[in-house]
Structures are given as structure tokens and as C-alpha cells.
Amino acid sequence: MKDILHKSEVFYDVYERKPGADKLTTTYCPGCGHGNLHKLIAEALEDFGVRDRTIFISPVGCSVFAYYYFHTGNIQSAHGRAPAVATAAKRAHPESIVISYQGDGDLAAIGGLEILHTANRGEGITVFFINNAIYGMTGGQMAPTTLIGQKTMTTPRGRTVANEGYPIRMAEIIATLDAPVYVERVMLADAKSIMQARAAVRKALKLQIEKNAFCFIEVLSPCPSNLKMTPIRTKEWVKDVLQNQFPLGVKKDISETFVKKEIARTQVELSDLPQILEIEHTPIDPEKIAAYRQKKVSEEIKVAGFGGQGVLSLGTVLAEMGMQHGYEVSWLPSYGPEMRGGTANCSVKISNGKIGSPLVTNPTVLIAMNRPSLDAFEADVVPGGLIIYDASLIDRQPVRTDVKVIPLPATKLADELGTTKAANMIIVGALLEYLKIMSIDVVLESLGYILKRKNLVELNQHAILKGVEFFKSLK
Ligand SMILES: Cc1ncc(C[n+]2csc(CCOP(=O)(O)OP(=O)(O)O)c2C)c(N)n1
Ligand code: SF4
Ligand SMILES: [Mg+2]
């Protein structure tokens, strides 16, 4: 009796992360299979002594909050993307035990290709695939595993082959691939089948622990709430109906002959990067940037304009130059349909603190190189921020009165240099002279390292200096 009531140490005693007053029960409906499977996994992790090196990945679905319960490492991933996240976790931490826990909507619909390629690469992870023949979390829409004739929210007259195709047997598909080591389908319908599921769960995890083997366990599981049956009746349905479409059993097992897969963690020293990336790089004299290392810098820059105006490279130059000065930097391009003739933009962060997200939504600096960009982003600039706009192309002034505005005729000045394309570097010069977060000398010196076309270095140096002069002339 004591053993039956034993709660695995792999579960938290109290589910502190779960909102609300009830911190002792799970979010699952009575009779739901998720609870059973959680228990089997938790007990195996405890018995194998790997709790503290397990990373549990839950994507979207009713098990999205698995991290309320599992006292392991946890990552909550986007819908269908758990296998990619699991791949990254395992490769970064080869000694960890990585579990990708996915529903049928998640794994077989939105994440259908993700799992296929992960299985095909034979990543050293364990996938638990909860097939309850329905989208549980969202209230009972059709899943790829929904049975023919089964009524769901989105197939109110029952699934038909003509409209929705056949239910997909994922375990069989995964078993056709070369890399997976062990693939089995089990069910959670009665004591006997739960014991068989327990054995499969343990075998799959053991194979990861001992051999880094990719294993895939499909688990036929009851969802009483959306199948609209009592918990007992749903279990019978899993056994008597669902199982007919999805036959239980081992679909592939090469575990005996499979040789342990070594996952090497590649250690790259920062100083080796230029050579690996084939970048010409001469370190900057620390003396030259010492003064800038003391500054408190946290700039969030939005650069926007037409595709072809050098918007993205303007951002790259700022980020690269920031790096030369020892700042944390990020650069995030936005490629959208707007690239063809409309607006293109990128986000750049330059900071001497850690950068959490590369996205800039409220810029401290907006660089608007065309009118649609000024229209689109002016309102987002933080009060006290800066707007630099190309006054030779934009026929209106910013309306904001709580920000600093620099009307810079960048295109006109670039034409004076002989090429319109230099407008972006003129803006770089004016901006850096305004911000005073980098040494102009170092920027000019570094251009040679980062520009791929060496014949353009001199021209861009002139353009940056022209921007600097323009800003000085405003004073
Ligand atoms: C990108 C994205 N698309 C759609 C959704 C809505 N959504 C949430 S859960 C879910 C399906 C879950 O079904 P399943 O994976 O079978 O998990 P279950 O709840 O049945 O365990 C969907 C479509 C979402 N959260 N994110
Ligand atoms: S809706 Fe279905 S899958 Fe979700 S918790 Fe309830 S029984 Fe489980
Ligand atoms: Mg489901």
C-alpha cells in the first residue's frame, strides 16, 4: 500500500508554480491519461537516479504546464517545436536526459515535420507521444489521429476520408526511418496495459541513459472531457475502438545491436571565431576603447526604410562596431513581404548589460529612411529618444515634441559623395557622433574588417565622416 501511494520525488511536493489556491492537484481532468503517463515517467527517472540531469520539454497542449509538476529542468516550447528544442538541449548538454512530451495535435499536426527530421537524425532524446485522438486543450477539435467517423468540434458529422484523409499512424511512420532505435505503441486503458506502458517508458529512458538512443513511445490515452464519455467508458473506448486503428506493439527495436552514440560538445573559444568564420580580424587596442567601457549604455535602435537602402547593413555595422567596443549587441532583421518595395527594418541593441531579447518595440533611436517607416514607428519611440530621418526623401517632419529630432539629408549628402548607397553610413556617422558611445577612430579603423567588399571601405569611411561633420555643424 505504501508503494502504491508513494509519490515520486521527481514531482514537486507542492505545485508552487500552479496559480490559484490549490497547489496539490494537477490541472488534468479526472480519467485523463496525462496523469498516468507523468507518473510512469517520474517513477522511472527516480529509479534511474537521473532527476537532476533531466530536461523535460513540454510544448502546447494539455500538458503545457508539466513544469508545474516535474522537479526536473523544464522548458516550455512553442506548439510542435519540442523536438527542435530537445535537440538543442541535448547537443548543448550531452550528459542530460531529454524528454520531448507531445500530444497528437502538437506532434502529428503543427509539428509533423519537426518530429520526422528529429527522428531521422536520431537525436539522443526520448519522445512520448500522447495520442488521445483529439485536441484536448482547445476543446476537442480534430487531430491527425482522430478516427474515421469520430465526431469532433471541427468534424461535427464525423471525420471522413474524403474531407480529412486517414488517421495518421505516427509510430509506424517513425519506425520506417533508419535512425530510431526503439519505437513502441502502448495504451493506458487498464492495469495490464498500464504495466506494459510502464515497461516501454523505462526501456526508452534506459536506452537514452545508456546509449543516447532516439526512442519514440506512442501512448493511446483517454481524454474523457472531449470524447464526452465517463472516465471508465473512455478507457474502454481506447481499448475497444482506438486500439483497432492504432495497433499496439513494438514497431522497431534495434537496441541490442545499437552502439552507444557519442554526442560531442564542441567547445569554441571566442578568440578562434574569426579564423573559423574566415573573418580578417585585428583586435582593437584596448587603450582606444577604455573610456567607452566605463559608460552605461543601453540603446535600442530601430532602423527602417526601403529594401535596397542598406537598412540591414546599417544595423549590422552598428552591431559590429558595438562588439568591437566590447558591448553586448544584438541584430534582428525583419524580412517580410515589405522587402519588395515597401519598408524593411531591423532591430539593434547595444548595451553593457545582458540582452534578454533582440526585439526592439520601443526604440531609444529611430532611424527612418523613408516616409512609411516614419509613419510606422514614430509613435513607438521612447520619450526623450531620438529620431533621425532622411530629410531629403521624407516630406514631413516628425510630430513628436518629446523626442530629439535630427533631420539629416542623408541621400543628398550621399549623392555629393558620388553614390546614393552611402546614405546609410552617413547616418551611422551622425548617430555615433550624437550618442558618443563609440570612438569614431575605432569605427573607421574597423570598417576594413567587417566590409566584405574591400573596395568600398574608403568610400564608407568618407560617408561616416560626412555624417559626423553634419552633426557637428548643427551645433
Ligand atoms: C502556434 C499555435 N497554434 C495553435 C495553438 C492552439 N492550440 C493550443 S493546444 C492545441 C492542440 C493541442 O492538442 P494536442 O497536441 O493533441 O494536446 P492535448 O491537449 O490533446 O494533450 C492547439 C491547436 C497554439 N497554442 N499555438
Ligand atoms: S481535456 Fe482531455 S487531455 Fe486535456 S486534461 Fe482534460 S482529459 Fe486530459
Ligand atoms: Mg491530443
Side-chain angles (χ1 to χ4, degrees):
M1 191 67 179
K2 186 172 165 291
D3 279 352
I4 294 170
L5 293 180
H6 169 74
K7 181 176 174 183
S8 169
E9 286 161 15
V10 171
F11 291 127
Y12 290 109
D13 278 344
V14 178
Y15 306 137
E16 289 295 349
R17 292 176 182 162
K18 189 179 167 219
D22 173 11
K23 308 277 190 199
L24 293 176
T25 62
T26 69
T27 38
Y28 303 122
C29 313
C32 174
H34 280 301
N36 290 139
L37 186 58
H38 281 17
K39 186 169 189 286
L40 298 180
I41 294 171
E43 285 174 357
L45 295 176
E46 180 180 345
D47 291 348
F48 299 151
V50 292
R51 181 195 68 77
D52 59 354
R53 61 185 175 108
T54 295
I55 304 175
F56 195 104
I57 306 192
S58 52
V60 178
C62 277
S63 53
V64 65
F65 298 126
Y67 57 85
Y68 289 167
Y69 316 122
F70 280 90
H71 190 185
T72 54
N74 284 283
I75 303 177
Q76 201 280 307
S77 76
H79 205 11
R81 305 293 166 251
V85 175
T87 298
K90 186 71 183 191
R91 289 189 182 193
H93 300 284
E95 68 292 347
S96 61
I97 304 306
V98 180
I99 294 173
S100 181
Y101 185 104
Q102 304 178 254
D104 41 17
D106 188 85
L107 180 140
I110 193 168
L113 280 177
E114 192 98 20
I115 185 62
L116 217 54
H117 288 286
T118 305
N120 195 41
R121 294 192 303 270
E123 300 294 342
I125 64 167
T126 310
V127 178
F128 293 111
F129 169 45
I130 304 5
N131 176 358
N132 52 16
I134 201 103
Y135 285 13
M137 184 190 194
T138 41
Q141 294 82 1
M142 191 200 90
T145 50
T146 293
L147 300 182
I148 300 301
Q150 189 182 326
K151 290 185 178 169
T152 69
M153 290 259 288
T154 44
T155 55
R157 294 190 197 87
R159 178 176 185 165
T160 63
V161 171
N163 255 348
E164 292 90 15
Y166 293 93
I168 296 180
R169 295 190 187 94
M170 285 308 296
E172 281 79 354
I173 291 175
I174 299 295
T176 63
L177 302 171
D178 289 337
V181 172
Y182 166 52
V183 182
E184 180 165 359
R185 183 181 291 117
V186 294
M187 70 177 175
L188 302 169
D190 52 24
K192 187 174 166 217
S193 63
I194 291 174
M195 289 313 283
Q196 281 162 350
R198 178 178 185 269
V201 165
R202 296 171 86 85
K203 177 167 175 169
L205 287 170
K206 196 111 208 182
L207 279 168
Q208 181 179 171
I209 295 165
E210 290 175 355
K211 296 190 173 187
N212 280 325
F214 177 90
C215 301
F216 183 96
I217 306 299
E218 178 170 339
V219 183
L220 304 185
S221 174
C223 169
S225 299
N226 286 303
L227 294 167
K228 304 198 187 332
M229 300 176 209
T230 63
I232 290 176
R233 178 72 197 101
T234 321
K235 286 197 166 105
E236 289 166 1
W237 181 84
V238 168
K239 193 171 167 181
D240 300 337
V241 181
L242 194 61
Q243 196 195 163
N244 292 333
Q245 175 67 34
F246 300 106
L248 304 189
V250 177
K251 309 295 170 186
K252 180 176 182 188
D253 187 356
I254 53 166
S255 56
E256 287 291 315
T257 51
F258 181 74
V259 179
K260 181 175 179 179
K261 186 175 170 184
E262 294 304 332
I263 305 173
R265 187 179 2 206
T266 318
Q267 291 285 12
V268 178
E269 292 302 325
L270 216 52
S271 52
D272 294 339
L273 271 182
Q275 199 195 344
I276 293 168
L277 300 174
E278 295 179 1
I279 300 170
E280 221 182 288
H281 182 257
T282 311
I284 298 296
D285 176 0
E287 285 288 300
K288 291 188 183 168
I289 55 171
Y292 298 92
R293 304 297 302 260
Q294 315 302 324
K295 286 193 154 215
K296 173 93 193 80
V297 173
S298 180
E299 295 298 341
E300 306 208 351
I301 305 168
K302 176 73 83 183
V303 192
F306 287 122
Q309 276 187 307
V311 167
L312 303 187
S313 49
L314 193 165
T316 318
V317 167
L318 288 176
E320 294 265 7
M321 293 306 167
M323 237 184 325
Q324 291 283 28
H325 286 75
Y327 294 121
E328 300 281 335
V329 302
S330 65
W331 173 83
L332 185 74
S334 163
Y335 302 100
E338 68 265 25
M339 284 300 281
R340 205 172 287 262
T343 58
N345 76 75
C346 67
S347 297
V348 176
K349 290 192 177 179
I350 303 174
S351 168
N352 43 19
K354 291 267 182 243
I355 294 172
S357 153
L359 199 64
V360 171
T361 39
N362 292 109
T364 55
V365 177
L366 168 64
I367 297 172
M369 296 180 72
N370 67 0
R371 168 94 190 240
S373 303
L374 185 62
D375 293 345
F377 299 114
E378 179 178 354
D380 298 338
V381 179
V382 294
L386 169 71
I387 297 178
I388 299 186
Y389 70 101
D390 190 333
S392 34
L393 297 183
I394 300 176
D395 56 1
R396 78 162 176 91
Q397 293 175 357
V399 291
R400 294 275 299 270
T401 52
D402 59 343
V403 297
K404 164 97 180 154
V405 173
I406 303 180
L408 172 58
T411 301
K412 182 169 160 283
L413 295 175
D415 287 341
E416 286 169 17
L417 280 179
T419 168
T420 311
K421 282 186 180 289
N424 59 351
M425 290 304 120
I426 292 176
I427 295 172
V428 167
L431 173 66
L432 293 182
E433 185 60 23
Y434 170 81
L435 291 177
K436 299 227 181 297
I437 58 173
M438 298 184 205
S439 149
I440 299 293
D441 286 345
V442 169
V443 169
L444 295 175
E445 190 184 328
S446 307
L447 266 188
Y449 311 144
I450 66 161
L451 292 183
K452 291 208 173 68
R453 291 172 59 189
K454 302 299 169 207
N455 58 332
L456 295 181
V457 173
E458 205 176 322
L459 170 71
N460 283 301
Q461 285 169 333
H462 282 142
I464 288 176
L465 281 174
K466 202 160 176 93
V468 172
E469 282 161 22
F470 175 84
F471 182 74
K472 284 181 176 163
S473 74
L474 292 179
K475 291 179 182 169

